[in-house]
């Protein structure tokens, strides 16, 4: 073990110095007269903490290679990820840690795991761009991965074909020192009201990762459908997955599908949070296993959009042994620290039963090694400090939970709900929390939005996308983009950098990526979209 990690280290070390040597010993290397650039003008979203321009350029071309620190902790994979994205954008084949440094190499990008530079947060990174080299320094793979996203945004759409005998993509030189404001930057997708395929979810993860989100919360069950295979309770998907809003055929993820999503997200440094919503929002579960039902009414499949009519029978022990199996199976294939129990809008659950339910389910979640998350209603119960409360509506719940030591996720419906219409003309979306045009989505401060909630209690922000009115990627993207890009900046960038006019102009320059990704974004008139 010791020996092989020494060997690895030696290998990468060697590559790095061979490269330096090759680059240094090229007498005939022609000096390129780079045109002036300005790194501070790059339309980066989220805006980095600190940017210093040195007004020259790094010419990304076929003679560039990527070198990474030690293989063991994801750095080489991140190098490959960058190489794939460079190829996708520019067509260039950039080698990662080539075993022999060929004479043609002129420039390198070094993804460097460092412990010598003071980088404060787990996702902090530095980007140093010079004529012949780019260093991405981070203490962690997470930080290196965030740094890669910044670098991707700096690669221009078009190459310069006049400076040398081959095309160069000019990256402005300078230094970026960056770190997130919040450790938790999340989006939620409701795959219960309408089902979204593994590929559709992957595409969303790609877009979220590009904007430095680090969490995706999947709302996996609701009245209209149960979307994840539970091997010990097969009817949940045989019966409960066959419906969705509007009467479509539904669908579900096998455990293998779910694991594929978890792994895909993990490669992008995104953590999945699974949610099984309960004790309300459970018609599909009770339809599959009627002993779970606590509302006394005959069960029928539900494909409408009302809420608050279903409940589990919170007084029955059998309900908790069922939940022990369900939570156990999902927890065992979820590497992230959280399990979301929903807990919202349980309007037909007697209050005492609701409270007892949350407290018992919290124990089950903890028994399976996870931290409980729930919508703000769970704060009515006596929950553990380690449990997290997600604020969507009732601020007093958040303040109470914070007072007892819990962390809060800010997802206030009237600001952060991606399923609210932009305006009365929006072709998708709801409006119960109001219209959320692109500027309203951006112009608020999650740290001060809830009066009386200390900053230190805020874990981060999440933008939920409920799917009553959407059923495919194009419709999802219409609601999520561009607003999700604004939430990415609210979650990452410090308050001094939040400025609507500046953001609006940077956003307008993101059309090439959005088009290349085939994103059906809503072309808000508040933004000058680059043609
Ligand atoms: C309220 S937000 C709900 C969801 C709906 C959503 C529609 C929350 C915790 N519950 O069940 O889908 O509104 O906007």
């Amino acid at each position: 073990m010791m020996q092989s990690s020494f060997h690895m280290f030696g290998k990468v070390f060697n590559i790095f110095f061979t490269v330096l040597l090759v680059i240094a010993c090229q007498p005939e290397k022609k000096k390129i007269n780079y045109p002036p650039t300005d790194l501070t003008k790059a339309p980066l979203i989220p805006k980095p903490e600190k940017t210093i321009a040195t007004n020259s350029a790094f010419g990304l071309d076929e003679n560039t290679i990527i070198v990474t620190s030690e293989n063991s902790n994801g750095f080489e994979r991140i190098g490959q990820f960058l190489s794939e994205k460079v190829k996708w954008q520019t067509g260039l084949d950039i080698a990662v840690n080539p075993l022999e440094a060929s004479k043609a190499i002129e420039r390198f990008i070094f993804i460097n795991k460092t412990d010598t530079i003071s980088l404060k947060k787990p996702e902090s990174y530095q980007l140093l761009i010079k004529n012949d080299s780019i260093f991405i320094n981070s203490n962690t793979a997470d930080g290196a991965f965030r740094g890669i996203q910044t670098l991707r945004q700096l690669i221009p759409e078009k190459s310069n074909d006049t400076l040398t005998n081959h095309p160069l993509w000019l990256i402005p030189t300078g230094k970026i020192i960056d770190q997130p404001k919040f450790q938790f930057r999340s989006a939620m997708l409701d795959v219960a009201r309408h089902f979204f395929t593994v590929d559709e979810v992957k595409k969303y993860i790609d877009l979220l990762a590009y904007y430095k989100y680090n969490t995706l919360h999947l709302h996996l069950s609701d009245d209209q459908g149960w979307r994840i295979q539970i091997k010990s309770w097969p009817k949940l998907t045989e019966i409960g997955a066959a419906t969705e809003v509007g009467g479509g055929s539904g669908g579900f993820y096998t455990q293998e599908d779910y694991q594929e999503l978890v792994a895909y997200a993990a490669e992008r440094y995104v953590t999945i949070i699974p949610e099984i919503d309960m004790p309300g929002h459970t018609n599909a579960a009770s339809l599959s296993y009627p002993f779970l039902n606590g509302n006394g009414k005959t069960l029928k499949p539900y494909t409408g959009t009302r809420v608050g009519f279903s409940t589990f029978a919170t007084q029955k022990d059998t309900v908790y042994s069922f939940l022990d199996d369900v939570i156990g199976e999902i927890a065992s294939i979820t590497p992230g620290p959280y399990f979301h129990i929903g807990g919202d809008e349980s309007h037909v659950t007697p209050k005492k039963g609701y409270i007892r339910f949350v407290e018992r389910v919290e124990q089950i979640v903890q028994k399976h090694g996870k931290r409980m998350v729930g919508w703000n209603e769970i704060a009515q119960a006596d929950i553990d400090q380690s449990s997290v409360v997600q604020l969507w509506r009732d601020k007093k719940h958040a303040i109470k939970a914070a007072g007892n030591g819990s962390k809060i996720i800010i997802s206030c419906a009237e600001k952060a709900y991606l399923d609210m219409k932009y305006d009365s003309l929006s072709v998708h979306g709801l409006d119960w929390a109001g219209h959320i045009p692109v500027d309203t989505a951006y112009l608020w401060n999650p740290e001060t939005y809830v009066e009386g909630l200390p900053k230190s209690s805020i874990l981060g922000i999440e933008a939920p996308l409920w799917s009553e009115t959407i059923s495919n990627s194009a419709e999802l993207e219409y609601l999520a983009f561009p607003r999700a890009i604004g939430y990415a900046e609210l979650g990452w960038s410090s308050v001094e950098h939040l400025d609507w006019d500046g953001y609006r102009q940077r956003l307008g320059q993101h059309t090439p990526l959005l088009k290349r990704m085939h994103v059906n974004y809503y072309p808000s008139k508040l933004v000058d979209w680059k043609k």
Side-chain angles (χ1 to χ4, degrees), residues 193 281 344-345 375 392 417 419-420 430 432 466 468:
R193 268 51 176 275
H281 292 275
D344 58 314
E345 299 173 319
W375 297 105
W392 67 283
Y417 265 28
D419 65 314
M420 291 301 119
L430 300 173
W432 66 264
W466 302 97
E468 285 92 337

